[in-house]
mmCIF file of all heavy atoms in Angstrom:
data_model
loop_
_atom_site.group_PDB
_atom_site.id
_atom_site.type_symbol
_atom_site.label_atom_id
_atom_site.label_comp_id
_atom_site.label_asym_id
_atom_site.label_seq_id
_atom_site.Cartn_x
_atom_site.Cartn_y
_atom_site.Cartn_z
ATOM 1 N N HIS A 207 -8.737 7.333 -21.062
ATOM 2 C CA HIS A 207 -8.610 6.473 -22.226
ATOM 3 C C HIS A 207 -7.386 5.603 -22.022
ATOM 4 O O HIS A 207 -6.562 5.832 -21.147
ATOM 5 C CB HIS A 207 -8.518 7.295 -23.525
ATOM 6 C CG HIS A 207 -7.240 8.101 -23.633
ATOM 7 N ND1 HIS A 207 -7.063 9.297 -22.983
ATOM 8 C CD2 HIS A 207 -6.105 7.839 -24.276
ATOM 9 C CE1 HIS A 207 -5.860 9.760 -23.278
ATOM 10 N NE2 HIS A 207 -5.241 8.921 -24.044
ATOM 11 N N GLU A 208 -7.268 4.571 -22.854
ATOM 12 C CA GLU A 208 -6.143 3.641 -22.737
ATOM 13 C C GLU A 208 -4.918 4.233 -23.372
ATOM 14 O O GLU A 208 -4.984 4.823 -24.427
ATOM 15 C CB GLU A 208 -6.494 2.306 -23.394
ATOM 16 C CG GLU A 208 -7.785 1.694 -22.899
ATOM 17 C CD GLU A 208 -7.759 1.306 -21.436
ATOM 18 O OE1 GLU A 208 -6.754 0.723 -21.017
ATOM 19 O OE2 GLU A 208 -8.753 1.536 -20.757
ATOM 20 N N GLY A 209 -3.773 4.001 -22.756
ATOM 21 C CA GLY A 209 -2.540 4.555 -23.297
ATOM 22 C C GLY A 209 -1.713 3.560 -24.023
ATOM 23 O O GLY A 209 -0.502 3.511 -23.942
ATOM 24 N N SER A 210 -2.359 2.698 -24.826
ATOM 25 C CA SER A 210 -1.657 1.577 -25.431
ATOM 26 C C SER A 210 -0.552 1.956 -26.392
ATOM 27 O O SER A 210 0.350 1.193 -26.638
ATOM 28 C CB SER A 210 -2.659 0.655 -26.138
ATOM 29 O OG SER A 210 -3.388 1.404 -27.092
ATOM 30 N N THR A 211 -0.599 3.174 -26.949
ATOM 31 C CA THR A 211 0.442 3.558 -27.922
ATOM 32 C C THR A 211 1.694 4.035 -27.217
ATOM 33 O O THR A 211 2.699 4.262 -27.844
ATOM 34 C CB THR A 211 -0.053 4.667 -28.864
ATOM 35 O OG1 THR A 211 -0.387 5.807 -28.075
ATOM 36 C CG2 THR A 211 -1.270 4.214 -29.681
ATOM 37 N N THR A 212 1.679 4.209 -25.886
ATOM 38 C CA THR A 212 2.825 4.705 -25.184
ATOM 39 C C THR A 212 3.614 3.632 -24.477
ATOM 40 O O THR A 212 4.647 3.913 -23.888
ATOM 41 C CB THR A 212 2.390 5.725 -24.132
ATOM 42 O OG1 THR A 212 1.578 5.048 -23.178
ATOM 43 C CG2 THR A 212 1.577 6.851 -24.750
ATOM 44 N N GLY A 213 3.136 2.394 -24.464
ATOM 45 C CA GLY A 213 3.759 1.355 -23.670
ATOM 46 C C GLY A 213 3.191 1.245 -22.282
ATOM 47 O O GLY A 213 3.389 0.284 -21.600
ATOM 48 N N TYR A 214 2.444 2.278 -21.884
ATOM 49 C CA TYR A 214 1.736 2.268 -20.595
ATOM 50 C C TYR A 214 0.318 1.890 -20.936
ATOM 51 O O TYR A 214 -0.343 2.574 -21.709
ATOM 52 C CB TYR A 214 1.807 3.659 -19.994
ATOM 53 C CG TYR A 214 1.090 3.794 -18.658
ATOM 54 C CD1 TYR A 214 1.670 3.395 -17.481
ATOM 55 C CD2 TYR A 214 -0.171 4.379 -18.607
ATOM 56 C CE1 TYR A 214 1.029 3.533 -16.266
ATOM 57 C CE2 TYR A 214 -0.838 4.533 -17.392
ATOM 58 C CZ TYR A 214 -0.212 4.087 -16.231
ATOM 59 O OH TYR A 214 -0.881 4.228 -15.053
ATOM 60 N N SER A 215 -0.165 0.767 -20.405
ATOM 61 C CA SER A 215 -1.442 0.242 -20.876
ATOM 62 C C SER A 215 -2.605 0.429 -19.941
ATOM 63 O O SER A 215 -3.687 -0.126 -20.140
ATOM 64 C CB SER A 215 -1.260 -1.268 -21.231
ATOM 65 O OG SER A 215 -0.771 -1.959 -20.095
ATOM 66 N N LYS A 216 -2.389 1.241 -18.888
ATOM 67 C CA LYS A 216 -3.508 1.548 -17.995
ATOM 68 C C LYS A 216 -4.179 2.850 -18.481
ATOM 69 O O LYS A 216 -3.673 3.533 -19.388
ATOM 70 C CB LYS A 216 -3.010 1.709 -16.579
ATOM 71 C CG LYS A 216 -2.389 0.439 -16.016
ATOM 72 C CD LYS A 216 -1.636 0.663 -14.723
ATOM 73 C CE LYS A 216 -0.886 -0.604 -14.395
ATOM 74 N NZ LYS A 216 0.299 -0.328 -13.593
ATOM 75 N N GLN A 217 -5.287 3.176 -17.833
ATOM 76 C CA GLN A 217 -6.013 4.375 -18.238
ATOM 77 C C GLN A 217 -5.149 5.615 -18.047
ATOM 78 O O GLN A 217 -4.388 5.717 -17.062
ATOM 79 C CB GLN A 217 -7.292 4.514 -17.400
ATOM 80 C CG GLN A 217 -8.339 3.453 -17.689
ATOM 81 C CD GLN A 217 -8.112 2.146 -16.933
ATOM 82 O OE1 GLN A 217 -7.165 2.014 -16.159
ATOM 83 N NE2 GLN A 217 -8.981 1.187 -17.183
ATOM 84 N N LEU A 218 -5.319 6.544 -18.961
ATOM 85 C CA LEU A 218 -4.642 7.854 -18.866
ATOM 86 C C LEU A 218 -5.665 8.976 -18.868
ATOM 87 O O LEU A 218 -6.756 8.786 -19.428
ATOM 88 C CB LEU A 218 -3.691 8.047 -20.012
ATOM 89 C CG LEU A 218 -2.406 7.194 -19.972
ATOM 90 C CD1 LEU A 218 -1.678 7.268 -21.314
ATOM 91 C CD2 LEU A 218 -1.494 7.616 -18.834
ATOM 92 N N PRO A 219 -5.344 10.087 -18.288
ATOM 93 C CA PRO A 219 -6.306 11.212 -18.311
ATOM 94 C C PRO A 219 -6.404 11.814 -19.711
ATOM 95 O O PRO A 219 -5.480 11.754 -20.501
ATOM 96 C CB PRO A 219 -5.682 12.204 -17.326
ATOM 97 C CG PRO A 219 -4.210 11.924 -17.441
ATOM 98 C CD PRO A 219 -4.103 10.432 -17.623
ATOM 99 N N ILE A 220 -7.534 12.443 -19.943
ATOM 100 C CA ILE A 220 -7.698 13.283 -21.125
ATOM 101 C C ILE A 220 -7.371 14.716 -20.673
ATOM 102 O O ILE A 220 -8.017 15.273 -19.784
ATOM 103 C CB ILE A 220 -9.110 13.193 -21.708
ATOM 104 C CG1 ILE A 220 -9.304 11.790 -22.294
ATOM 105 C CG2 ILE A 220 -9.292 14.266 -22.806
ATOM 106 C CD1 ILE A 220 -10.688 11.537 -22.804
ATOM 107 N N ILE A 221 -6.336 15.274 -21.277
ATOM 108 C CA ILE A 221 -5.898 16.621 -20.912
ATOM 109 C C ILE A 221 -6.577 17.616 -21.846
ATOM 110 O O ILE A 221 -6.517 17.478 -23.080
ATOM 111 C CB ILE A 221 -4.352 16.730 -20.953
ATOM 112 C CG1 ILE A 221 -3.758 15.708 -19.998
ATOM 113 C CG2 ILE A 221 -3.906 18.137 -20.667
ATOM 114 C CD1 ILE A 221 -2.245 15.555 -20.104
ATOM 115 N N HIS A 222 -7.256 18.585 -21.262
ATOM 116 C CA HIS A 222 -7.990 19.600 -22.027
ATOM 117 C C HIS A 222 -7.670 20.971 -21.434
ATOM 118 O O HIS A 222 -7.012 21.033 -20.375
ATOM 119 C CB HIS A 222 -9.513 19.292 -22.013
ATOM 120 C CG HIS A 222 -10.069 19.052 -20.675
ATOM 121 N ND1 HIS A 222 -10.328 20.073 -19.763
ATOM 122 C CD2 HIS A 222 -10.413 17.907 -20.024
ATOM 123 C CE1 HIS A 222 -10.824 19.546 -18.662
ATOM 124 N NE2 HIS A 222 -10.879 18.237 -18.784
ATOM 125 N N PRO A 223 -8.110 22.048 -22.085
ATOM 126 C CA PRO A 223 -7.671 23.381 -21.620
ATOM 127 C C PRO A 223 -8.007 23.639 -20.129
ATOM 128 O O PRO A 223 -7.185 24.287 -19.434
ATOM 129 C CB PRO A 223 -8.457 24.311 -22.532
ATOM 130 C CG PRO A 223 -8.629 23.538 -23.803
ATOM 131 C CD PRO A 223 -8.832 22.105 -23.344
ATOM 132 N N ALA A 224 -9.107 23.146 -19.605
ATOM 133 C CA ALA A 224 -9.463 23.443 -18.221
ATOM 134 C C ALA A 224 -8.552 22.775 -17.224
ATOM 135 O O ALA A 224 -8.358 23.268 -16.106
ATOM 136 C CB ALA A 224 -10.926 23.047 -17.972
ATOM 137 N N ASN A 225 -7.978 21.577 -17.554
ATOM 138 C CA ASN A 225 -7.173 20.878 -16.566
ATOM 139 C C ASN A 225 -5.690 20.828 -16.942
ATOM 140 O O ASN A 225 -4.864 20.245 -16.246
ATOM 141 C CB ASN A 225 -7.712 19.476 -16.314
ATOM 142 C CG ASN A 225 -7.509 18.510 -17.495
ATOM 143 O OD1 ASN A 225 -6.762 18.789 -18.418
ATOM 144 N ND2 ASN A 225 -8.229 17.408 -17.467
ATOM 145 N N ALA A 226 -5.327 21.476 -18.059
ATOM 146 C CA ALA A 226 -3.935 21.382 -18.545
ATOM 147 C C ALA A 226 -2.925 21.894 -17.503
ATOM 148 O O ALA A 226 -1.814 21.375 -17.409
ATOM 149 C CB ALA A 226 -3.794 22.183 -19.853
ATOM 150 N N GLY A 227 -3.291 22.918 -16.741
ATOM 151 C CA GLY A 227 -2.393 23.437 -15.705
ATOM 152 C C GLY A 227 -2.095 22.415 -14.627
ATOM 153 O O GLY A 227 -0.963 22.342 -14.114
ATOM 154 N N TYR A 228 -3.071 21.613 -14.265
ATOM 155 C CA TYR A 228 -2.893 20.558 -13.276
ATOM 156 C C TYR A 228 -1.863 19.540 -13.764
ATOM 157 O O TYR A 228 -0.914 19.205 -13.052
ATOM 158 C CB TYR A 228 -4.232 19.870 -13.008
ATOM 159 C CG TYR A 228 -4.200 18.713 -12.058
ATOM 160 C CD1 TYR A 228 -4.040 18.880 -10.715
ATOM 161 C CD2 TYR A 228 -4.262 17.408 -12.548
ATOM 162 C CE1 TYR A 228 -4.006 17.796 -9.822
ATOM 163 C CE2 TYR A 228 -4.210 16.322 -11.698
ATOM 164 C CZ TYR A 228 -4.096 16.500 -10.330
ATOM 165 O OH TYR A 228 -4.033 15.426 -9.483
ATOM 166 N N TRP A 229 -2.080 19.075 -14.997
ATOM 167 C CA TRP A 229 -1.171 18.055 -15.556
ATOM 168 C C TRP A 229 0.216 18.611 -15.875
ATOM 169 O O TRP A 229 1.217 17.913 -15.711
ATOM 170 C CB TRP A 229 -1.844 17.421 -16.790
ATOM 171 C CG TRP A 229 -3.071 16.680 -16.377
ATOM 172 C CD1 TRP A 229 -4.366 17.071 -16.628
ATOM 173 C CD2 TRP A 229 -3.163 15.497 -15.603
ATOM 174 N NE1 TRP A 229 -5.248 16.183 -16.049
ATOM 175 C CE2 TRP A 229 -4.528 15.202 -15.409
ATOM 176 C CE3 TRP A 229 -2.213 14.627 -15.039
ATOM 177 C CZ2 TRP A 229 -4.947 14.080 -14.684
ATOM 178 C CZ3 TRP A 229 -2.642 13.526 -14.321
ATOM 179 C CH2 TRP A 229 -4.021 13.274 -14.140
ATOM 180 N N ALA A 230 0.292 19.852 -16.283
ATOM 181 C CA ALA A 230 1.596 20.459 -16.570
ATOM 182 C C ALA A 230 2.402 20.603 -15.254
ATOM 183 O O ALA A 230 3.597 20.364 -15.229
ATOM 184 C CB ALA A 230 1.426 21.841 -17.212
ATOM 185 N N ALA A 231 1.727 20.930 -14.171
ATOM 186 C CA ALA A 231 2.404 21.050 -12.864
ATOM 187 C C ALA A 231 2.913 19.666 -12.419
ATOM 188 O O ALA A 231 4.071 19.550 -11.968
ATOM 189 C CB ALA A 231 1.439 21.636 -11.833
ATOM 190 N N LEU A 232 2.079 18.665 -12.571
ATOM 191 C CA LEU A 232 2.537 17.310 -12.151
ATOM 192 C C LEU A 232 3.738 16.860 -12.949
ATOM 193 O O LEU A 232 4.658 16.255 -12.413
ATOM 194 C CB LEU A 232 1.388 16.285 -12.324
ATOM 195 C CG LEU A 232 0.225 16.405 -11.327
ATOM 196 C CD1 LEU A 232 -0.799 15.319 -11.584
ATOM 197 C CD2 LEU A 232 0.730 16.339 -9.886
ATOM 198 N N LYS A 233 3.758 17.186 -14.253
ATOM 199 C CA LYS A 233 4.931 16.849 -15.062
ATOM 200 C C LYS A 233 6.196 17.512 -14.512
ATOM 201 O O LYS A 233 7.290 16.950 -14.603
ATOM 202 C CB LYS A 233 4.662 17.296 -16.501
ATOM 203 C CG LYS A 233 5.624 16.733 -17.517
ATOM 204 C CD LYS A 233 5.193 17.090 -18.920
ATOM 205 C CE LYS A 233 6.314 16.754 -19.905
ATOM 206 N NZ LYS A 233 5.968 17.193 -21.237
ATOM 207 N N ASN A 234 6.051 18.670 -13.873
ATOM 208 C CA ASN A 234 7.162 19.363 -13.214
ATOM 209 C C ASN A 234 7.347 18.924 -11.746
ATOM 210 O O ASN A 234 8.049 19.582 -10.989
ATOM 211 C CB ASN A 234 6.943 20.865 -13.270
ATOM 212 C CG ASN A 234 7.051 21.402 -14.672
ATOM 213 O OD1 ASN A 234 7.821 20.867 -15.491
ATOM 214 N ND2 ASN A 234 6.325 22.465 -14.976
ATOM 215 N N HIS A 235 6.630 17.906 -11.372
ATOM 216 C CA HIS A 235 6.646 17.377 -9.996
ATOM 217 C C HIS A 235 6.219 18.439 -8.983
ATOM 218 O O HIS A 235 6.864 18.611 -7.928
ATOM 219 C CB HIS A 235 8.019 16.759 -9.660
ATOM 220 C CG HIS A 235 8.254 15.487 -10.419
ATOM 221 N ND1 HIS A 235 9.296 14.641 -10.127
ATOM 222 C CD2 HIS A 235 7.553 14.915 -11.437
ATOM 223 C CE1 HIS A 235 9.237 13.589 -10.944
ATOM 224 N NE2 HIS A 235 8.206 13.749 -11.764
ATOM 225 N N GLU A 236 5.147 19.101 -9.300
ATOM 226 C CA GLU A 236 4.488 20.049 -8.430
ATOM 227 C C GLU A 236 2.995 19.694 -8.390
ATOM 228 O O GLU A 236 2.408 19.386 -9.435
ATOM 229 C CB GLU A 236 4.624 21.489 -8.911
ATOM 230 C CG GLU A 236 6.043 21.975 -8.931
ATOM 231 C CD GLU A 236 6.150 23.382 -9.555
ATOM 232 O OE1 GLU A 236 5.213 23.800 -10.267
ATOM 233 O OE2 GLU A 236 7.158 24.042 -9.297
ATOM 234 N N LEU A 237 2.407 19.802 -7.188
ATOM 235 C CA LEU A 237 0.967 19.623 -7.071
ATOM 236 C C LEU A 237 0.350 21.008 -7.011
ATOM 237 O O LEU A 237 0.593 21.755 -6.067
ATOM 238 C CB LEU A 237 0.623 18.802 -5.816
ATOM 239 C CG LEU A 237 -0.845 18.502 -5.605
ATOM 240 C CD1 LEU A 237 -1.431 17.666 -6.746
ATOM 241 C CD2 LEU A 237 -1.028 17.765 -4.276
ATOM 242 N N ARG A 238 -0.405 21.355 -8.012
ATOM 243 C CA ARG A 238 -1.070 22.632 -8.087
ATOM 244 C C ARG A 238 -2.554 22.469 -8.366
ATOM 245 O O ARG A 238 -2.916 21.591 -9.193
ATOM 246 C CB ARG A 238 -0.481 23.534 -9.204
ATOM 247 C CG ARG A 238 0.962 23.963 -8.932
ATOM 248 C CD ARG A 238 1.499 24.835 -10.057
ATOM 249 N NE ARG A 238 2.872 25.222 -9.831
ATOM 250 C CZ ARG A 238 3.230 26.380 -9.223
ATOM 251 N NH1 ARG A 238 2.284 27.256 -8.846
ATOM 252 N NH2 ARG A 238 4.488 26.647 -9.024
ATOM 253 N N LEU A 239 -3.385 23.269 -7.709
ATOM 254 C CA LEU A 239 -4.825 23.305 -8.020
ATOM 255 C C LEU A 239 -5.207 24.752 -8.340
ATOM 256 O O LEU A 239 -4.558 25.693 -7.910
ATOM 257 C CB LEU A 239 -5.648 22.789 -6.846
ATOM 258 C CG LEU A 239 -5.489 21.313 -6.456
ATOM 259 C CD1 LEU A 239 -6.447 20.972 -5.326
ATOM 260 C CD2 LEU A 239 -5.740 20.386 -7.655
ATOM 261 N N GLN A 240 -6.309 24.858 -9.048
ATOM 262 C CA GLN A 240 -6.807 26.158 -9.393
ATOM 263 C C GLN A 240 -7.369 26.868 -8.148
ATOM 264 O O GLN A 240 -8.098 26.255 -7.378
ATOM 265 C CB GLN A 240 -8.002 26.061 -10.335
ATOM 266 C CG GLN A 240 -7.705 25.735 -11.748
ATOM 267 C CD GLN A 240 -8.997 25.599 -12.552
ATOM 268 O OE1 GLN A 240 -9.926 24.959 -12.129
ATOM 269 N NE2 GLN A 240 -9.026 26.251 -13.690
ATOM 270 N N ARG A 241 -7.011 28.159 -7.976
ATOM 271 C CA ARG A 241 -7.678 28.954 -6.954
ATOM 272 C C ARG A 241 -8.473 30.047 -7.681
ATOM 273 O O ARG A 241 -7.917 30.795 -8.469
ATOM 274 C CB ARG A 241 -6.704 29.573 -5.962
ATOM 275 C CG ARG A 241 -7.450 30.267 -4.838
ATOM 276 C CD ARG A 241 -6.556 30.779 -3.739
ATOM 277 N NE ARG A 241 -5.902 29.778 -2.897
ATOM 278 C CZ ARG A 241 -6.484 29.106 -1.937
ATOM 279 N NH1 ARG A 241 -7.750 29.252 -1.650
ATOM 280 N NH2 ARG A 241 -5.778 28.236 -1.241
ATOM 281 N N CYS A 242 -9.755 30.071 -7.399
ATOM 282 C CA CYS A 242 -10.657 31.039 -8.034
ATOM 283 C C CYS A 242 -10.251 32.453 -7.655
ATOM 284 O O CYS A 242 -10.119 32.796 -6.474
ATOM 285 C CB CYS A 242 -12.088 30.789 -7.583
ATOM 286 S SG CYS A 242 -13.271 31.967 -8.235
ATOM 287 N N SER A 243 -10.026 33.303 -8.648
ATOM 288 C CA SER A 243 -9.633 34.681 -8.369
ATOM 289 C C SER A 243 -10.818 35.515 -7.831
ATOM 290 O O SER A 243 -10.592 36.556 -7.195
ATOM 291 C CB SER A 243 -9.097 35.339 -9.645
ATOM 292 O OG SER A 243 -7.924 34.661 -10.058
ATOM 293 N N ALA A 244 -12.016 35.051 -8.032
ATOM 294 C CA ALA A 244 -13.197 35.806 -7.545
ATOM 295 C C ALA A 244 -13.535 35.494 -6.081
ATOM 296 O O ALA A 244 -13.841 36.413 -5.316
ATOM 297 C CB ALA A 244 -14.408 35.471 -8.427
ATOM 298 N N CYS A 245 -13.440 34.185 -5.673
ATOM 299 C CA CYS A 245 -13.872 33.856 -4.301
ATOM 300 C C CYS A 245 -12.833 33.074 -3.514
ATOM 301 O O CYS A 245 -13.052 32.724 -2.372
ATOM 302 C CB CYS A 245 -15.174 33.047 -4.345
ATOM 303 S SG CYS A 245 -14.958 31.330 -4.860
ATOM 304 N N SER A 246 -11.643 32.795 -4.128
ATOM 305 C CA SER A 246 -10.527 32.115 -3.478
ATOM 306 C C SER A 246 -10.744 30.629 -3.186
ATOM 307 O O SER A 246 -9.945 30.020 -2.496
ATOM 308 C CB SER A 246 -10.135 32.837 -2.164
ATOM 309 O OG SER A 246 -9.678 34.136 -2.468
ATOM 310 N N THR A 247 -11.809 30.028 -3.714
ATOM 311 C CA THR A 247 -11.994 28.610 -3.528
ATOM 312 C C THR A 247 -10.953 27.821 -4.354
ATOM 313 O O THR A 247 -10.685 28.164 -5.488
ATOM 314 C CB THR A 247 -13.411 28.220 -4.019
ATOM 315 O OG1 THR A 247 -14.378 28.828 -3.149
ATOM 316 C CG2 THR A 247 -13.637 26.704 -4.008
ATOM 317 N N LEU A 248 -10.403 26.765 -3.760
ATOM 318 C CA LEU A 248 -9.573 25.854 -4.515
ATOM 319 C C LEU A 248 -10.492 24.917 -5.283
ATOM 320 O O LEU A 248 -11.386 24.303 -4.668
ATOM 321 C CB LEU A 248 -8.673 25.012 -3.586
ATOM 322 C CG LEU A 248 -7.360 25.655 -3.173
ATOM 323 C CD1 LEU A 248 -6.649 24.754 -2.163
ATOM 324 C CD2 LEU A 248 -6.486 25.934 -4.363
ATOM 325 N N ARG A 249 -10.288 24.798 -6.567
ATOM 326 C CA ARG A 249 -11.164 23.997 -7.386
ATOM 327 C C ARG A 249 -10.519 22.643 -7.691
ATOM 328 O O ARG A 249 -9.416 22.583 -8.260
ATOM 329 C CB ARG A 249 -11.417 24.670 -8.747
ATOM 330 C CG ARG A 249 -12.142 25.999 -8.687
ATOM 331 C CD ARG A 249 -12.315 26.481 -10.110
ATOM 332 N NE ARG A 249 -12.584 27.904 -10.116
ATOM 333 C CZ ARG A 249 -12.444 28.675 -11.204
ATOM 334 N NH1 ARG A 249 -12.033 28.146 -12.344
ATOM 335 N NH2 ARG A 249 -12.732 29.948 -11.163
#
Side-chain angles (χ1 to χ4, degrees):
H207 67 280
E208 306 296 317
S210 57
T211 60
T212 64
Y214 179 81
S215 55
K216 298 168 189 153
Q217 293 83 0
L218 288 169
I220 293 176
I221 300 172
H222 51 75
N225 70 14
Y228 176 76
W229 295 107
L232 289 181
K233 193 174 169 185
N234 291 330
H235 290 191
E236 296 175 341
L237 182 61
R238 292 180 181 267
L239 294 183
Q240 285 178 313
R241 186 174 292 282
C242 177
S243 298
C245 75
S246 297
T247 295
L248 275 176
R249 297 182 198 161

